[in-house]
Amino acid sequence: MGLPATIKTMGDVFNELTEPNDFKISTWMAMGAALLLLSQAYLPIGLGSWIPLLYLGYRMLKMVVDTLRLHTGSFTNMKVGRWTARLPDSETPLVMFILGARINHPLGKLSPGAADIDAVFQEMWREAETNRDKWGYLGKTATLVDYSDSERTPTIWLSYWKDLKGLQKFSASAAHRLGQNNYNAKKYPYMGIMHETFYSPKGCWETIYDEFPPWGLVLRGFYTLSGDIRSLGFSESENSSRQAASRRDFFNDAQSQFAEMCCKAEFLRITQARLPDILYCVAGGCSTEMGFLTDIDAGQVERCMRNNYLTAAFAAQSMLKLWTEDDKNAKASGDRLRQIVFIASAAAFVGLPGYTAYTPSKCAVRALADTLRMEALQHSGPQSTYTVHCAFPSNFITESFLQEQESKPVLTKQLEGTMGTLEELRKRFPSAGEVAQGIIAGVERGDFAICNDSTEAALLFTNMIGPSPKRGLGIYDSLSATVMGIIVWPVLRRHWDRVCKRDGKRSRARNNVPNAPR
């Protein structure tokens, strides 16, 4: 073994034995001063003084060099971009087991029996690794230390498991039993132990890593890419397939949104004195999914459905389950009004080219609201009355709308009337605050369909009422439906058809594609 390897081995052994916080800073300084005095006494004159100065100079020079070679010569284990850990089986829950130990002895890891204690812990983790498939063991972090403890440094491990049954098998293992028996027998009376166990149902946990080295679950190879990220131990083909399957913005992924909905709903149940009585499902948009069907990819179609429909369905489901369970446990009549408000879009009433991904998702939200409105009647009783509402706003000024305008086809702008400068659009369309106030007013009136922000949206609804309840007494909606169905819509449809045909001819002319003969 060469000198560098020997020095590294001695350093590893020393770091295993002791931590900087095992002794106070004054003690470390006193030991350094004692070594300096010994070096001056037994080494040639002046050499003892130069040793610490040379070492300090070396450390400063290394800091300068590492700063100049940032991410190439230093901090090279950092993975560029944003990514997340994801188990191979998305239906798997997750158990986190936190195990901690603290040696309550002045000598810390140099105390009698500390090496034996360390050996027991190492054997426990080796046994877990050996039985990983049998116990559902997913791995653990490296040994962590808590430097916030001013008296002694606790040692901590975070471990991950597929279920509680596997963790129970780990607790019954030979190595764990040995450590447990020694602890119960007070063989090491200065040994302190702690553990915490957390169980997360499937879909109710998340991980985010951004410009961060592999850690936690990622060390076991469970990861999904988001953006441009290098492979973490996978082959080129495996990495490419993973990127193709999961290259989407993590925050727009419906599974993570569902996890957030579940966790927030559970948080409300546990921490609040009472559950909220109204839920607004407002997630959605299509700022990155605008375009004709031939111009967007399958991932954009899927993402639009996830962002607009599934997030609304997941949120409503989580809250409705909490409400109905709360009603079952109520001891007296509550006479509460509980409301779910879906924010759909006027696009649910009319299909315009360019909204190929967006319109079906908002139609699904409208269908969900219609269906859930009848299911709510089933849940209504002496404890609570349930109502469902659905708003159908047309275009209004938001950051998302402005982003849509950048990628929105000209044909779409012509048909829906969004051609013009930003100032012209601001004068023509309401603000988000104005639309929100109209929706709240509609909910307070008890309307199922809320189309207050534009006459166009209100008229389109009357032409597409279907099974939805009419607004107010229904007189206006009935009369408008007759006018729209007999006069307005046949004319408007034929006009839009002509505009689409003309746009197709212009597009073929620009691309030197011959038009079909008349």
Side-chain angles (χ1 to χ4, degrees):
M1 180 183 296
L3 180 61
T6 303
I7 294 175
K8 183 179 184 305
T9 301
M10 292 177 62
D12 293 341
V13 172
F14 178 76
N15 288 332
E16 284 293 324
L17 288 174
T18 186
E19 297 290 345
N21 213 35
D22 283 341
F23 300 105
K24 294 182 178 180
I25 294 179
S26 57
T27 303
W28 287 110
M29 293 180 66
M31 287 191 288
L35 288 174
L36 179 61
L37 291 174
L38 289 174
S39 65
Q40 290 177 339
Y42 292 99
L43 294 177
I45 298 175
L47 182 59
S49 300
W50 278 104
I51 290 177
L53 293 175
L54 289 172
Y55 181 74
L56 182 60
Y58 160 74
R59 297 295 301 178
M60 294 182 66
L61 179 62
K62 186 176 185 303
M63 179 187 66
V64 173
V65 173
D66 288 346
T67 302
L68 296 175
R69 299 187 305 158
L70 200 61
H71 300 165
T72 56
S74 61
F75 300 98
T76 54
N77 65 339
M78 184 195 75
K79 298 301 175 184
V80 179
R82 177 185 296 152
W83 36 295
T84 177
R86 187 75 51 80
L87 296 181
D89 182 2
S90 60
E91 297 299 309
T92 300
L94 185 67
V95 175
M96 176 185 284
F97 178 62
I98 304 176
L99 180 61
R102 193 178 102 150
I103 301 177
N104 302 308
H105 191 284
L107 292 178
K109 292 184 179 180
L110 299 178
S111 59
D116 296 337
I117 296 172
D118 182 69
V120 170
F121 279 109
Q122 298 303 323
E123 181 58 31
M124 281 196 303
W125 296 123
R126 276 194 292 269
E127 192 167 2
E129 186 66 36
T130 302
N131 297 277
R132 59 180 298 112
D133 294 332
K134 190 186 303 182
W135 297 349
Y137 173 62
L138 297 174
K140 69 174 182 67
T141 64
T143 303
L144 308 176
V145 291
D146 179 10
Y147 289 117
S148 66
D149 193 326
S150 60
E151 294 189 355
R152 187 56 58 204
T153 306
T155 302
I156 300 169
W157 297 272
L158 308 183
S159 59
Y160 307 92
W161 309 75
K162 288 184 177 180
D163 52 47
L164 291 169
K165 292 182 179 179
L167 182 59
Q168 290 171 348
K169 293 178 181 179
F170 167 73
S171 66
S173 64
H176 185 270
R177 284 293 185 187
L178 175 62
Q180 189 176 39
N181 293 337
N182 289 339
Y183 180 79
N184 293 335
K186 300 297 181 182
K187 184 176 181 180
Y188 308 111
Y190 45 81
M191 185 69 187
I193 294 290
M194 63 76 65
H195 85 249
E196 295 179 355
T197 305
F198 300 92
Y199 173 80
S200 177
K202 60 183 180 181
C204 292
W205 58 273
E206 69 173 14
T207 60
I208 302 172
Y209 309 89
D210 202 337
E211 310 294 328
F212 203 81
W215 200 86
L217 283 176
V218 180
L219 292 174
R220 309 305 308 188
F222 304 128
Y223 83 106
T224 295
L225 304 178
S226 179
D228 186 15
I229 183 71
R230 298 182 181 88
S231 172
L232 301 180
F234 295 100
S235 68
E236 186 73 23
S237 59
E238 290 174 320
N239 192 49
S240 298
S241 63
R242 287 173 180 269
Q243 291 188 33
S246 60
R247 188 174 289 275
R248 59 171 59 95
D249 190 337
F250 176 80
F251 295 104
N252 285 337
D253 185 85
Q255 290 183 349
S256 66
Q257 291 169 343
F258 181 38
E260 183 180 1
M261 300 295 182
C262 290
C263 294
K264 285 184 177 180
E266 185 65 12
F267 178 80
L268 286 171
R269 184 186 71 81
I270 295 173
T271 61
Q272 302 300 307
R274 60 189 296 271
L275 290 173
D277 290 328
I278 187 166
L279 171 68
Y280 281 84
C281 301
V282 300
C286 61
S287 58
T288 59
E289 295 90 21
M290 288 297 306
F292 306 129
L293 190 60
T294 53
D295 297 330
I296 59 178
D297 57 41
Q300 289 174 292
V301 176
E302 178 191 9
R303 184 168 64 238
C304 202
M305 182 61 73
R306 287 175 177 270
N307 292 346
N308 290 281
Y309 170 68
L310 292 181
T311 52
F314 291 155
Q317 182 186 45
S318 297
M319 188 56 72
L320 193 58
K321 285 184 176 181
L322 290 177
W323 281 342
T324 53
E325 187 66 26
D326 183 57
D327 285 348
K328 292 178 183 178
N329 298 328
K331 297 180 181 179
S333 176
D335 193 24
R336 290 182 292 258
L337 175 61
R338 286 173 163 168
Q339 300 167 298
I340 297 178
V341 184
F342 295 102
I343 309 301
S345 169
F349 301 140
V350 57
L352 293 180
Y355 285 115
T356 316
Y358 182 67
T359 295
S361 67
K362 288 304 185 182
C363 289
V365 173
R366 190 242 173 123
L368 173 64
D370 274 323
T371 305
L372 195 57
R373 183 190 68 83
M374 292 186 285
E375 289 187 12
L377 300 174
Q378 181 184 21
H379 296 302
S380 296
Q383 304 300 334
S384 301
T385 299
Y386 293 86
T387 63
V388 176
H389 312 265
C390 192
F392 301 93
S394 186
N395 286 309
F396 56 95
I397 304 300
T398 63
E399 289 297 324
S400 178
F401 171 76
L402 298 179
Q403 292 174 8
E404 291 173 15
Q405 286 292 100
E406 296 177 0
S407 57
K408 188 179 295 182
V410 174
L411 174 62
T412 308
K413 294 180 181 180
Q414 291 174 341
L415 295 178
E416 68 174 4
T418 54
M419 297 289 289
T421 64
L422 177 58
E423 290 303 320
E424 293 173 340
L425 295 176
R426 288 187 185 278
K427 294 178 182 178
R428 197 181 310 162
F429 298 111
S431 66
E434 293 170 333
V435 172
Q437 291 175 2
I439 293 173
I440 293 173
V443 173
E444 292 176 349
R445 288 195 304 269
D447 292 344
F448 168 78
I450 303 170
C451 315
N452 298 338
D453 65 295
S454 70
T455 304
E456 293 87 349
L459 292 175
L460 287 171
F461 169 70
T462 62
N463 191 58
M464 296 283 288
I465 290 178
S468 300
K470 297 178 181 178
R471 295 169 296 166
L473 298 176
I475 298 174
Y476 173 82
D477 285 346
S478 298
L479 293 176
S480 298
T482 302
V483 174
M484 285 290 294
I486 296 176
I487 302 174
V488 178
W489 190 246
V491 175
L492 184 61
R493 178 180 59 80
R494 286 175 172 80
H495 169 67
W496 281 354
D497 287 350
R498 288 195 297 270
V499 173
C500 290
K501 290 178 181 178
R502 286 200 302 267
D503 184 79
K505 291 181 179 180
R506 294 194 192 99
S507 177
R508 286 190 292 273
R510 286 194 300 268
N511 297 316
N512 295 320
V513 177
N515 289 307
R518 293 183 179 180

